[in-house]
Amino acid sequence: MGGLVRSKSKAFMYIAHLLAATAAVMVLVWCIHFRGGLAFESANKSLIFNVHPVLMLIGFIIMGSEATMSYRTLPWSKRVKKTIHLILHAIALVLGVFGIYFAFKFHNESGIDNLYSLHSWMGLGTICLYGIQWILGFVTFLYPGASVFLRTAYLAWHVLFGIFVYLLAIATAELGFLEKLTFLETSGILHRYSPEAFLVNSTALVVILLGASVVLSLIVPYIDYSNIYTVD
């Protein structure tokens, strides 16, 4: 049974890697091919906004997904895996902060109000919780490091809170796709059944499947199948 569980966990990890690559390509096609490209500074403010979904999906969610799975997938010592786990999460956090910055930059330079939507509220909340999770993980497990008793007591909460924040990030991304697509359609910029609309909706579905695959790869090893599959 143990070998079967490990193989299922690895299967979900491989699926997650594939979905992550697919989502990355799809968001780049959307922002570069359909939306006109990316820019840090431009008279066309939409090009500045395009940096936001690219950084939030590739930098924050996909990098965060790989960081989340890295502790289970890498074959090295716990110390090395913890360090890589924290570094990848730090990269995801920094890129997420920059992604949010470009959303504010676009709004400010376009004369649009900030923080008026549920997507923006959840996005800001998620990035703050992500930062708190990273800091607590760093001081507890890496430096200066807590006692064995405290590390053991906190580990389960670290995992559960990490999964919660990760799912919150996925939900926030879905709201972002919905908000942007709704704006483009109601503004008459985009037809509801256009190839671009199909691509955005498809990308959102891939992100949901990515989130599910990552979470399943984490929880499958902890499911007690002996209590589920019983013979009466």
Side-chain angles (χ1 to χ4, degrees), residues 3-13 216-217 220 225 229:
L4 177 61
V5 171
R6 284 192 295 271
S7 65
K8 286 183 177 180
S9 180
K10 286 184 178 181
F12 284 121
M13 289 178 188
L216 286 171
S217 74
V220 161
Y225 291 91
Y229 301 107

Side-chain angles (χ1 to χ4, degrees), residues 9-86:
S9 180
K10 286 184 178 181
F12 284 121
M13 289 178 188
Y14 293 141
I15 292 171
H17 293 322
L18 178 61
L19 290 170
T22 302
V25 171
M26 293 174 79
V27 76
L28 287 172
V29 170
W30 177 37
C31 292
I32 295 175
H33 176 70
F34 286 101
R35 291 287 93 212
L38 311 170
F40 295 158
E41 297 287 347
S42 177
N44 182 356
K45 303 306 177 184
S46 294
L47 301 185
I48 296 175
F49 173 83
N50 290 346
V51 180
H52 172 69
V54 170
L55 285 181
M56 297 312 294
L57 182 52
I58 297 178
F60 189 53
I61 290 181
I62 292 179
M63 184 63 71
S65 299
E66 296 299 328
T68 300
M69 295 185 294
S70 64
Y71 193 78
R72 294 194 56 81
T73 57
L74 297 176
W76 303 312
S77 67
K78 286 186 177 181
R79 181 76 178 183
V80 172
K81 289 193 293 185
K82 280 192 293 186
T83 303
I84 293 174
H85 178 73
L86 280 165

Side-chain angles (χ1 to χ4, degrees), residues 109-224:
E109 294 185 8
S110 302
I112 302 173
D113 292 333
N114 290 305
L115 300 174
Y116 62 85
S117 67
L118 179 60
H119 169 67
S120 60
W121 292 4
M122 287 182 63
L124 201 59
T126 300
I127 205 76
C128 291
L129 291 175
Y130 201 101
I132 293 170
Q133 169 80 343
W134 189 89
I135 292 171
L136 290 175
F138 182 86
V139 299
T140 302
F141 298 111
L142 194 64
Y143 184 83
S147 66
V148 174
F149 174 78
L150 287 177
R151 291 201 307 269
T152 303
Y154 176 63
L155 179 59
W157 292 106
H158 177 74
V159 173
L160 288 174
F161 189 69
I163 292 175
F164 168 73
V165 175
Y166 177 73
L167 290 176
L168 199 60
I170 296 292
T172 304
E174 297 303 307
L175 286 174
F177 285 121
L178 177 62
E179 182 179 305
K180 185 62 176 179
L181 188 57
T182 301
F183 171 78
L184 291 173
E185 291 175 349
T186 55
S187 300
I189 299 173
L190 199 63
H191 190 273
R192 292 177 180 176
Y193 299 103
S194 64
E196 183 178 350
F198 179 81
L199 175 64
V200 174
N201 283 328
S202 299
T203 306
L205 288 175
V206 170
V207 171
I208 291 176
L209 294 175
L210 168 62
S213 299
V214 170
V215 173
L216 286 171
S217 74
L218 298 176
I219 66 174
V220 161
Y222 298 99
I223 298 175
D224 186 357

